[in-house]
Amino acid sequence: MPAVAKVEASRAQQEVDRLAALRPAQRAFAWFAAHEPHLRRWQMELARIPAPPFGEAARAEWLRARFAELGLEDVHVDSVGNVLGIHRGTEKAARHVAITAHIDTVFPAGTPLDIREEGGKLCGPGISDNASGVTALLALAAALADSPVRHSANILFVGNVGEEGEGDLRGMRHLFSDPRWKDSIAHTIVVDGSGTDTIVTQALGSRRFEVTVRGPGGHSWSDFGAPNPIVILSRAIATFTRAKLPAEPRTSASVGVIQGGTSVNTIPESASARVDIRSTSSQEMERLERALRVAVEEAVAEDSGSQRRNAPAKSRAAFEIASIGSRPAAELREGARILEVIRAVDAHLGNTARLHRASTDANIPLSLGLEAVSLGAGGSGGGAHTLHEWYDPSGRELALQRILLTALTLAGVPE
Ligand SMILES: [Zn+2]
């Protein structure tokens, strides 16, 4: 570590140690452990409200009411459905440290939400991902409301929509497209899932496509020679999956869904495939996107060029490639203040954590060059995205102290 960085790191450590020893901060820390039964009730109540992709309104309304009860200011639901509330700082300039947690789940509307407590564990769909994160937001807001701790910058709480799957981070995209927030949020702490052992600093990017090939269709014997979309699509996939993927920057490509055809003796009218491309590098994702397009174009051209030289134009195959998701790749810069502070907080709390790469809500601020990380809400959990999901809140106060201390240090607490 260069000498200057070392001095900076120790300064952050001094700040964290000083702040953690303040009586109001101690009081906020004590709130967490004393109110665990309350946190469980919130978490189960929240998880019982359906929040399928693009259907988060009921859960948003519940969260809005809790934010208002806890005395946050400017509590409102924005035009895409994010729930916002501010714990006001002492300084005039409207700087914000944002703490966010996604409120949507992967479970479609109608999924039975059998949320229950079993031997100290909380069980049911979405209980960890991300009811634990949203509960952390409520715990932090409640502890701040209970404690006289004063901080300089505002702390902005956001329960955001659209993190999962085809939600495609729309809640965070919206938040960071509004100059009011984009220009005033210097640091973002995303709370997603359980644990305290990771700091997500690298945003894994993804591009998702649906490739559709269409033809006139027909009878497998009497119309033989008509372009066959399943065969064309298969050739395209075979070519695409031979594209070279670098080990570094790490990149992956997968075909997750394939559909088409009506019966064994019918030439299909269409066939489609869903393709998932991921990389830590946007250039690699663009390169693979081009490779996909070329593979499909060639497969279609090869078909109309070979078997059916004299066929009428209308019987040729056609294709389209539709984007069904795009998440930017990005990385927290070396020496970022937010990382320095979390490192110091972890040292103070005796917590060990490793840097991690994932696709989270932090992708959006990171891709804009802003400082952001994703942290766990403590405790432990498993079975995410299944009906057997569980969350064990044992020791969750460590994560809550960790997030609070990080947010307060970033916001600044006057001597
Ligand atoms: Zn999540």
Side-chain angles (χ1 to χ4, degrees):
M1 195 187 278
V4 178
K6 220 178 236 169
V7 172
E8 286 301 318
S10 65
R11 193 173 300 156
Q13 194 65 59
Q14 283 166 15
E15 259 175 274
V16 167
D17 294 346
R18 172 185 72 83
L19 211 154
L22 296 176
R23 194 163 301 179
Q26 289 287 324
R27 175 164 169 160
F29 291 169
W31 191 96
F32 299 130
H35 291 80
E36 179 52 37
H38 199 106
L39 301 186
R40 286 176 195 225
R41 276 201 299 280
W42 268 336
Q43 192 165 344
M44 297 209 291
E45 217 176 297
L46 166 86
R48 287 190 182 112
I49 306 169
F54 302 96
E56 302 102 333
R59 192 176 283 194
E61 177 47 35
W62 181 89
L63 186 61
R64 191 202 58 74
R66 300 292 85 69
F67 276 3
E69 271 171 18
L70 291 170
L72 295 180
E73 290 179 39
D74 200 7
V75 173
H76 68 283
V77 178
D78 72 13
S79 63
V80 294
N82 297 319
V83 189
L84 291 86
I86 292 174
H87 195 264
R88 193 71 65 192
T90 51
E91 72 178 22
K92 277 238 165 61
R95 256 187 336 126
H96 298 90
V97 173
I99 309 179
T100 74
H102 72 85
I103 63 171
D104 58 312
T105 69
V106 293
F107 303 100
T111 303
L113 299 177
D114 177 22
I115 306 295
R116 64 214 182 271
E117 203 162 349
E118 271 175 21
K121 280 185 189 167
L122 309 181
C123 304
I127 195 69
S128 177
D129 180 16
N130 192 24
S132 68
V134 182
T135 301
L137 253 53
L138 292 172
L140 293 160
L144 284 172
D146 179 69
S147 151
V149 67
R150 289 153 65 80
H151 46 85
S152 305
N154 295 330
I155 297 180
L156 171 69
F157 290 93
V158 184
N160 61 280
V161 295
E163 191 273 341
E164 301 284 5
E166 284 165 34
D168 208 26
L169 310 182
R170 79 179 196 289
M172 290 300 258
R173 281 181 211 275
H174 179 80
L175 190 73
F176 283 94
S177 66
D178 183 340
R180 176 178 176 197
W181 304 122
K182 180 175 154 272
D183 300 339
S184 69
I185 299 175
H187 302 99
T188 303
I189 302 167
V190 172
V191 190
D192 196 347
S194 62
T196 46
D197 56 350
T198 57
I199 306 168
V200 176
T201 54
Q202 293 155 303
L204 181 61
S206 67
R207 297 261 205 289
R208 290 160 181 178
F209 301 96
E210 182 158 59
V211 180
T212 307
V213 179
R214 291 197 173 83
H219 190 279
S220 59
W221 171 254
S222 53
D223 296 311
F224 179 68
N228 186 320
I230 289 181
V231 173
I232 295 170
L233 184 64
S234 305
R235 288 199 185 117
I237 290 171
T239 306
F240 170 65
T241 51
R242 280 196 291 267
K244 280 218 165 61
L245 303 187
E248 205 50 56
R250 194 175 155 195
T251 303
S252 72
S254 173
V255 179
V257 178
I258 185 159
Q259 279 174 316
T262 48
S263 78
V264 68
N265 55 346
T266 302
I267 299 168
E269 288 178 66
S270 77
S272 66
R274 292 187 164 203
V275 179
D276 174 269
I277 295 169
R278 295 178 181 229
S279 181
T280 53
S281 148
S282 292
Q283 282 101 310
E284 275 307 312
M285 291 194 292
E286 278 155 27
R287 189 181 67 80
L288 280 168
E289 184 180 340
R290 284 194 299 276
L292 176 64
R293 182 163 291 278
V294 168
V296 178
E297 277 169 3
E298 281 178 2
V300 169
E302 187 190 339
D303 182 83
S304 49
S306 63
Q307 298 171 264
R308 313 184 356 83
R309 208 158 289 134
N310 304 317
K314 75 173 175 53
S315 74
R316 294 221 176 108
F319 74 94
E320 66 197 31
I321 300 176
S323 168
I324 54 171
S326 172
R327 299 178 178 213
E331 218 167 289
L332 188 64
R333 67 176 175 79
E334 197 90 24
R337 162 90 172 144
I338 196 167
L339 187 57
E340 197 180 279
V341 169
I342 294 174
R343 291 291 201 204
V345 167
D346 279 340
H348 179 87
L349 295 173
N351 184 50
T352 44
R354 66 199 156 80
L355 299 188
H356 196 63
R357 168 182 297 157
S359 174
T360 70
D361 276 325
N363 282 43
I364 297 300
L366 285 173
S367 73
L368 295 169
L370 297 170
E371 292 199 2
V373 292
S374 182
L375 303 177
S380 52
H385 297 194
T386 78
L387 299 179
H388 310 291
E389 191 170 348
W390 59 271
Y391 177 77
D392 181 347
S394 310
R396 109 158 92 197
E397 67 271 16
L398 173 64
L400 299 175
Q401 292 176 4
R402 184 182 189 220
I403 298 166
L404 182 63
L405 202 44
T406 301
L408 287 175
T409 309
L410 291 169
V413 172
E415 302 264 349

